[in-house]
Every structure is written in C-alpha cells, then in structure tokens.
Amino acid sequence: MEEISAIIDASLAQLLDAISSSQPDVHPVYLTTREVAELTKYKKATLEALRAKRQGPPFYRQGFNVRYREDEVREWMERDRE
C-alpha cells in the first residue's frame, strides 16, 4: 500500500511540475520595435513593414506605442524557422 502511495505522490509531483512549467509568464517582458530589431536582427523598418501587412511577430498597440511580448517574438522566430 505504501508503494502505491509513493507512486501516486511521485506522479502527482510530475504532473504539477508539468502544469506549472506550461503556465504563461505572470509578468511578461514587453519590447519596443527597436529592441525587437536588436533581438531578431531585422531592421526596424522591416518590422514596421511586416506590422503594416499584419505579418511578423504579434504586437500590441496602445495609442501610438507599439510593444511586443518577448516570449511571443521568440516563439514567432522558432515557428518560422526553416
């Protein structure tokens, strides 16, 4: 009986670790277009053109300010890699 309890506890711990690692970042890092250009090695103008065509990494606009979530930029880079 103790062996089954130990197996259940270990499995539950693994499940909780998997769930916590897949949780979204509580405090995401937001980047400017210039910072994304430095990260991706794209020119700022290229990112602006991609944004105008609704391509490129996801972005957020607040008034005149444009921001990108760092995790989404990195995901976009990995997804579109050949």
Side-chain angles (χ1 to χ4, degrees):
M1 192 65 151
E2 289 180 27
E3 185 178 319
I4 293 173
S5 179
I7 292 172
I8 291 173
D9 288 343
S11 297
L12 186 57
Q14 287 178 338
L15 178 62
L16 290 174
D17 284 343
I19 289 172
S20 66
S21 68
S22 67
Q23 293 290 330
D25 191 3
V26 176
H27 300 288
V29 176
Y30 289 92
L31 305 173
T32 64
T33 304
R34 181 184 51 80
E35 292 169 326
V36 173
E38 291 173 6
L39 176 68
T40 62
K41 307 300 184 219
Y42 281 100
K43 293 182 180 179
K44 185 178 173 225
T46 301
L47 291 168
E48 291 167 348
L50 288 171
R51 197 168 59 229
K53 293 190 258 182
R54 298 286 185 202
Q55 298 174 348
F59 65 92
Y60 302 88
R61 186 182 303 274
Q62 290 182 312
F64 292 107
N65 296 310
V66 174
R67 297 291 184 264
Y68 299 84
R69 278 183 53 165
E70 181 180 20
D71 58 333
E72 292 178 342
V73 171
R74 291 183 185 280
E75 181 181 310
W76 171 76
M77 289 172 60
E78 290 294 319
R79 182 180 59 235
D80 290 346
R81 140 179 110 167
E82 290 185 24

